[in-house]
Amino acid sequence: MKFAHDFLFGAASAAYQVEGGWDEGGKGVSNWDVFSKIPGKTFENTNGDVAVDHYHRWKEDIALMAEMGLESYRFSIAWTRILPEGTGEVNPQGIAFYNQIIDECLRYGIVPFVTLYHWDLPQALEAAGGWHSKQTAEAFVRYAEVCFDAFGDRVKHWITFNEMIVFCRHGYLAGAHPPGLIDDKKAYFEATHNVITAHARAVMAYKARRQFGEIGITHVFSPAFSIDDSPENIAAAEHVNLMDTHWFYAPVLKGEYPEAVIDYLKRENLTPDWKPEELDDICKAAPMNDFLGLNYYQPQRVMKNDTSETLNLSHETVTGAPGSPSFDGVAKTVKMEDKTYTKWGWEIAPDAFLEGLRMLRQRYGNMKLYITENGLGDEDPIIDGVICDVPRIRYIETHLNAVKQAIKEGINLKGYFAWSVIDLLSWLNGFKKQYGFIYVDHADGLKRKKKLSFYWYQHIIATRGEGLGK
């Protein structure tokens, strides 16, 4: 089986993690420009001031993408480059910068797949309440409209938000992302509702323009599975899926929040200040979503939290590895002896990926899907000058095989975006692990170098994945 020609092979990045140029071209200050400079918040106090300097090297980077054969490049726009204060006057230099990116991609036949929000909020809006404030949601819709009007003649694939569970949970429960609050459950649920409202209204604004593209949202996809057949552990896994998946997916895809979570919020006095008109807009926008983006790295293996232990909420413990209770203390994730894990403790499980896709279809129907992130973070060895990232090749190969099988089963998957196109700055972990097909040599002036995976992915794209699994 070959992948169909309407299936997009791509790779992804995010503005803060690659661009640098943090105070150039009229750009405003983002919450990450401030938060990353608080001592101890990031590994070795790294920040995105330079990142990998894509702001100045975009032409070289896109040429490398074209050489690799990428059919699509998923990148994010920095809100602060378009509206430096989050509202107010549009910055023409920011518009010009992203016009260059878009036009260069199109010159090579690379489809631009644009994310409007990948975690870098204008600091002026953060200081005024961040996502806890309804004014931030209103400002986002205006920002989205500016982007639709500036770029929508050429950009036909839009993602509103990337991984709201991460920037909301880490920001309002774990203290690991801006605004750095710890265990503020009320603010957490308020923020998630405001983001979902902003998404719905941005979707309606896009559809009103009749630009004949597609728009959706990208969520974390980390399906939970019980560690055994015991009823209490099965119930714990169902609870985690409810809180980590369905709370985020259901309002986008079905236009309403899950009743079980609403009941929980009422019991715990955590119900957001949601207005009837907001709930109406969420309902109206649901059928307008053209696709769902899924960022999959690992599943969750879950059991009932059988101790008095609660989540240790601090930025030092936010690693993504299993071994912690859920934020509400009901369940906990477990590392299992019969599973395979990365050096950072993330499970490698393409079989769970496939099973999760089946579960998703069963609950929400066969909507259009893109895998908007999937990849391996590793310390890539350099042997005789060759960057030998063989584990990354194996990781992506097994997950592409799962994608192939899902398509054979009729699941409506239309693209795969590896994370990431180039080695980049981790939000919290600096440069100590790599994800890209393109190596960035920090000891040699940020020189770009092709990894083994670069050539492997080039071959996969050229052959439409024909040899995968053999």
Side-chain angles (χ1 to χ4, degrees), residues 58-207:
W58 57 269
K59 201 173 185 72
E60 174 190 0
D61 291 343
I62 295 172
L64 284 166
M65 296 178 209
E67 182 183 343
M68 187 162 49
L70 280 196
E71 296 174 329
S72 186
Y73 173 38
R74 179 191 168 217
F75 63 94
S76 75
I77 291 174
W79 189 339
T80 47
R81 290 202 190 279
I82 305 301
L83 295 162
E85 299 299 314
T87 59
E89 294 297 315
V90 174
N91 173 30
Q93 293 178 78
I95 299 291
F97 173 70
Y98 290 110
N99 272 330
Q100 289 178 322
I101 299 286
I102 292 162
D103 290 345
E104 190 74 358
C105 284
L106 292 173
R107 189 170 76 85
Y108 284 110
I110 299 171
V111 174
F113 216 110
V114 174
T115 303
L116 289 167
Y117 186 81
H118 199 131
W119 305 357
D120 46 345
L121 183 69
Q123 177 60 24
L125 292 176
E126 186 71 80
W131 287 108
H132 186 243
S133 168
K134 293 185 185 297
Q135 283 66 46
T136 299
E138 294 170 5
F140 174 81
V141 177
R142 196 239 165 172
Y143 155 63
E145 290 176 327
V146 170
C147 291
F148 298 151
D149 292 341
F151 312 124
D153 59 328
R154 287 152 294 146
V155 174
K156 300 301 177 184
H157 305 270
W158 295 94
I159 295 167
T160 53
F161 290 94
N162 181 77
E163 297 186 347
M164 78 171 83
I165 188 175
V166 174
F167 68 83
C168 290
R169 191 165 288 185
H170 286 6
Y172 294 92
L173 296 181
H177 284 204
L181 301 183
I182 293 179
D183 202 22
D184 193 336
K185 294 184 180 70
K186 181 73 172 177
Y188 167 69
F189 283 104
E190 194 75 52
T192 58
H193 169 68
N194 288 337
V195 173
I196 290 165
T197 301
H199 163 78
R201 290 176 172 169
V203 167
M204 290 192 289
Y206 181 70
K207 293 298 182 179

Side-chain angles (χ1 to χ4, degrees), residues 31-43:
N31 57 352
W32 273 94
D33 293 328
V34 174
F35 186 80
S36 63
K37 290 164 188 167
I38 300 172
K41 287 298 185 184
T42 67
F43 175 70

Side-chain angles (χ1 to χ4, degrees), residues 262-391:
I262 293 173
D263 291 342
Y264 162 83
L265 296 177
K266 289 177 180 176
R267 288 195 307 271
E268 301 295 324
N269 195 29
L270 296 173
T271 303
D273 177 26
W274 43 34
K275 308 298 185 186
E277 59 271 22
E278 295 167 352
L279 297 174
D280 286 346
D281 285 345
I282 289 169
C283 183
K284 289 176 187 173
M288 299 182 189
N289 285 277
D290 297 300
F291 66 87
L292 180 67
L294 302 176
N295 289 357
Y296 176 83
Y297 293 93
Q298 63 174 333
Q300 300 182 78
R301 307 293 178 179
V302 173
M303 65 177 290
K304 179 184 177 183
N305 187 18
D306 56 356
T307 71
S308 59
E309 183 183 15
T310 57
L311 181 57
N312 180 8
L313 293 159
S314 70
H315 67 274
E316 290 92 349
T317 63
V318 176
T319 65
S324 296
S326 59
F327 75 93
D328 53 9
V330 172
K332 66 180 180 182
T333 55
V334 177
K335 188 172 183 178
M336 302 180 70
E337 291 184 3
D338 63 338
K339 307 300 180 187
T340 303
Y341 295 85
T342 73
K343 294 173 188 174
W344 276 267
W346 292 29
E347 185 184 344
I348 302 174
D351 55 337
F353 177 37
L354 180 58
E355 184 57 31
L357 290 171
R358 293 167 179 152
M359 292 163 54
L360 198 63
R361 177 171 62 176
Q362 184 176 15
R363 186 174 182 112
Y364 295 106
N366 203 22
M367 85 290 286
K368 185 177 188 178
L369 302 173
Y370 291 98
I371 306 307
T372 41
E373 286 184 26
N374 176 246
L376 177 68
D378 203 358
E379 294 173 313
D380 297 332
I382 302 176
I383 303 170
D384 295 331
V386 178
I387 303 146
C388 300
D389 60 336
V390 174

